[in-house]
Amino acid sequence: MLKNYFKQAWTLMRQNRLFTGIYVVGTGLSIALVMTLFIIFYVKFAPIYPEYNRDRTLVLKPVKRYPKEKPDDWNINGGVAYYVVDQMLPGLPHVEQVAGSMIDFWGNNQVSAVDVKPFKVTPRFANGAFWKVFSFRFVDGQPFMQEDVEAKAQVAVIGESLAKRLFATVEGVAGRHFTFNGRDYRVCGVVRDVSNATPETSGDLWVPLLNASGILDISEQLDNRGLLGNVFAYLLVDDKENLEAVRSEVQDVFRRYSQQDKEYEYDLMGQPDKYWISTFRQDVDRAPDMAELTKTFLYILLALLIIPALNLSGMISSRMDSRIAELGIRKAYGATRHQLVQQVLCENLVLTVLGGVLGLVFSYFIVLTASEWILTLFDKYIHDTSLSTSLTPEMLFNPMVFGCTFGVCLLLNVVSALIPALWALKNSIVASLNTKR
């Protein structure tokens, strides 16, 4: 039965080529916009290189500090103190690793090598656990260890592109030396390049965290700024089922610290966040309003689906008017209402799937040609617009994207074809047969 439906759909497509072309292109454009939106959030949320553990990661960024009994007189930094990732959070139940990192967008950081003139780079400073929370792929050498961080060793992990610029190769680079901000550094490892589509790990090179100029000695840090600092903390939890338990434990740790502090209290503003929620935390002084954000994106999705569906429904309704007599004949020979609706939906599904394939191609074209800005479309602040954003095949070609495309096709098919089909079938057999008399 279904085979016959699809054969008839193909015959109708060949007989009505103008209608078919307009319908497929219209469906494709609608699905392209929906899929572009989906790809943006897939890249932000899904496990992709090197952030494969996003579903088990909690993120802690800026916290507020204010004098006791004066919550309005708060101050804030870009992150937390090194003490938080080094001593406060490690060892908590269900926490496997606590990574700390900071990226320097604003400094005039430069590297050079023999016969290579200095050029600007974006370094990321990290602790030893950073390499265990995030899964980098090393093509040469190995990461630096926590011992190197504490010793402020002048070693670095560099990306493939930087290795090629400095040494014209990625092979045998480990152990070679280059100059970073006027100091001699040794390459301990080379990793596959990290796209700026993964902002928590991106960088040109990775340097021990205590080598950063903004990191103070722990005792000096606690005396001057308490737990305020510029380090982002990433907690790798043993199982995603324990995320809420670890969140509560971290909040208890800060609460106990505030009780011991005679002068100040600390406000985590709902942190630590699950990774996907942390991508919406763009205002440093407040938690994201997830209910409002969900409503906004739901409105966008409905607009992208319902408006095209109404237009497509009008086209289908017009075509159904010309097929009422045909449906009447099928009714006369015993076809049930359910069978006729199924036939119309199957025929329309063929067109919708063709539009879905075209829409997926359109969405890839949009994302690839606009990759410099499309992933920051919903970001309130962009730290460095000079950084390029590359999209890898695993970000685009994956079962989740294809599954979502098919789901959108089914939804659009039902919404656009069901009502016209039911409306056309409300006529009696006699009324349907007399339609064209």
Side-chain angles (χ1 to χ4, degrees):
M1 184 71 73
L2 291 177
K3 185 177 179 180
N4 292 332
Y5 290 163
F6 290 128
K7 282 184 178 180
Q8 185 169 354
W10 180 252
T11 301
L12 290 172
M13 287 167 56
R14 295 177 61 185
Q15 292 174 351
N16 301 278
R17 294 183 179 180
L18 179 61
F19 173 88
T20 300
I22 295 174
Y23 189 93
V24 169
V25 172
T27 303
L29 291 175
S30 173
I31 292 178
L33 296 176
V34 175
M35 290 310 303
T36 299
L37 188 67
F38 178 80
I39 290 173
I40 290 173
F41 287 108
Y42 180 85
V43 172
K44 286 178 177 288
F45 301 158
I48 54 179
Y49 173 79
E51 300 174 7
Y52 290 118
N53 293 319
R54 285 176 169 178
D55 62 336
R56 294 194 294 129
T57 302
L58 292 174
V59 182
L60 176 61
K61 293 185 177 179
V63 299
K64 286 181 180 179
R65 184 179 75 160
Y66 55 87
K68 290 184 180 293
E69 309 300 332
K70 296 181 180 179
D72 294 332
D73 191 16
W74 54 266
N75 54 41
I76 199 168
N77 273 35
V80 296
Y82 176 67
Y83 173 78
V84 174
V85 300
D86 185 58
Q87 298 185 29
M88 279 187 68
L89 300 183
L92 292 179
H94 305 297
V95 176
E96 293 183 351
Q97 300 290 337
V98 180
S101 80
M102 58 178 288
I103 192 167
D104 189 353
F105 292 109
W106 302 277
N108 184 27
N109 299 286
Q110 295 190 333
V111 297
S112 63
V114 177
D115 298 327
V116 178
K117 294 182 179 180
F119 58 91
K120 188 175 180 180
V121 292
T122 300
R124 181 176 289 276
F125 300 90
N127 66 349
F130 181 81
W131 307 105
K132 299 175 181 178
V133 174
F134 302 107
S135 306
F136 285 79
R137 296 171 188 164
F138 279 79
V139 297
D140 190 28
Q142 60 187 9
F144 52 78
M145 310 300 289
Q146 183 60 25
E147 292 77 7
D148 297 315
V149 175
E150 294 172 357
K152 299 184 180 180
Q154 294 181 181
V155 295
V157 173
I158 63 176
E160 286 180 308
S161 296
L162 183 57
K164 291 176 182 178
R165 291 189 67 180
L166 290 174
F167 308 110
T169 182
V170 297
E171 298 178 357
V173 171
R176 299 180 68 172
H177 290 251
F178 68 101
T179 301
F180 172 55
N181 289 343
R183 295 183 177 182
D184 181 67
Y185 270 73
R186 175 177 60 85
V187 177
C188 64
V190 180
V191 296
R192 281 186 52 186
D193 286 336
V194 179
S195 170
N196 286 301
T198 55
E200 306 302 331
T201 50
S202 62
D204 295 314
L205 71 160
W206 295 260
V207 181
L209 184 55
L210 293 182
N211 291 20
S213 58
I215 303 294
L216 303 177
D217 177 81
I218 286 182
S219 59
E220 183 182 357
Q221 169 79 39
L222 294 177
D223 289 340
N224 293 338
R225 291 186 291 178
L227 300 182
L228 302 184
N230 295 306
V231 178
F232 290 172
Y234 306 93
L235 292 81
L236 182 62
V237 180
D238 58 3
D239 191 293
K240 59 184 178 182
E241 300 297 328
N242 295 322
L243 288 173
E244 286 301 323
V246 173
R247 287 187 71 246
S248 298
E249 187 64 31
V250 171
Q251 291 167 359
D252 286 341
V253 168
F254 273 81
R255 190 177 301 112
R256 290 194 295 269
Y257 187 92
S258 295
Q259 291 172 350
Q260 296 172 5
D261 193 316
K262 297 180 180 180
E263 297 184 60
Y264 297 99
E265 290 192 27
Y266 293 87
D267 180 7
L268 296 182
M269 298 174 288
Q271 299 181 93
D273 294 321
K274 294 178 181 179
Y275 184 93
W276 71 273
I277 294 179
S278 72
T279 62
F280 294 107
R281 188 176 286 271
Q282 300 183 36
D283 293 308
V284 297
D285 61 339
R286 64 178 65 92
D289 187 344
M290 296 308 300
E292 188 64 30
L293 287 169
T294 301
K295 187 166 60 174
T296 299
F297 290 122
L298 184 60
Y299 287 158
I300 294 174
L301 182 62
L302 290 176
L304 293 177
L305 280 176
I306 290 180
I307 295 176
L310 291 175
N311 292 328
L312 296 176
S313 184
M315 294 179 62
I316 295 172
S317 179
S318 176
R319 189 175 71 161
M320 291 301 298
D321 287 343
S322 65
R323 297 183 61 191
I324 290 179
E326 173 199 336
L327 297 176
I329 293 173
R330 290 211 58 201
K331 280 184 182 180
Y333 279 93
T336 64
R337 183 183 180 90
H338 173 74
Q339 289 175 328
L340 294 176
V341 170
Q342 186 181 50
Q343 176 187 343
V344 173
L345 290 179
C346 287
E347 292 172 358
N348 196 62
L349 181 61
V350 175
L351 294 173
T352 309
V353 169
L354 290 176
V357 174
L358 184 63
L360 190 61
V361 174
F362 282 165
S363 67
Y364 285 152
F365 176 78
I366 293 170
V367 172
L368 290 173
T369 55
S371 61
E372 298 297 321
W373 59 268
I374 194 72
L375 295 180
T376 60
L377 186 62
F378 299 104
D379 292 350
K380 194 172 184 179
Y381 306 107
I382 303 173
H383 295 294
D384 191 347
T385 56
S386 67
L387 295 175
S388 61
T389 300
S390 59
L391 296 174
T392 60
E394 71 175 320
M395 297 179 186
L396 303 177
F397 302 100
N398 55 76
M400 184 71 74
V401 171
F402 295 133
C404 183
T405 303
F406 186 69
V408 172
C409 287
L410 287 177
L411 180 62
L412 201 59
N413 176 61
V414 172
V415 171
S416 61
L418 186 59
I419 295 176
L422 293 175
W423 184 263
L425 292 172
K426 69 181 179 63
N427 297 318
S428 64
I429 295 177
V430 174
S432 298
L433 293 176
N434 291 329
T435 299
K436 288 192 174 183
R437 283 192 177 183

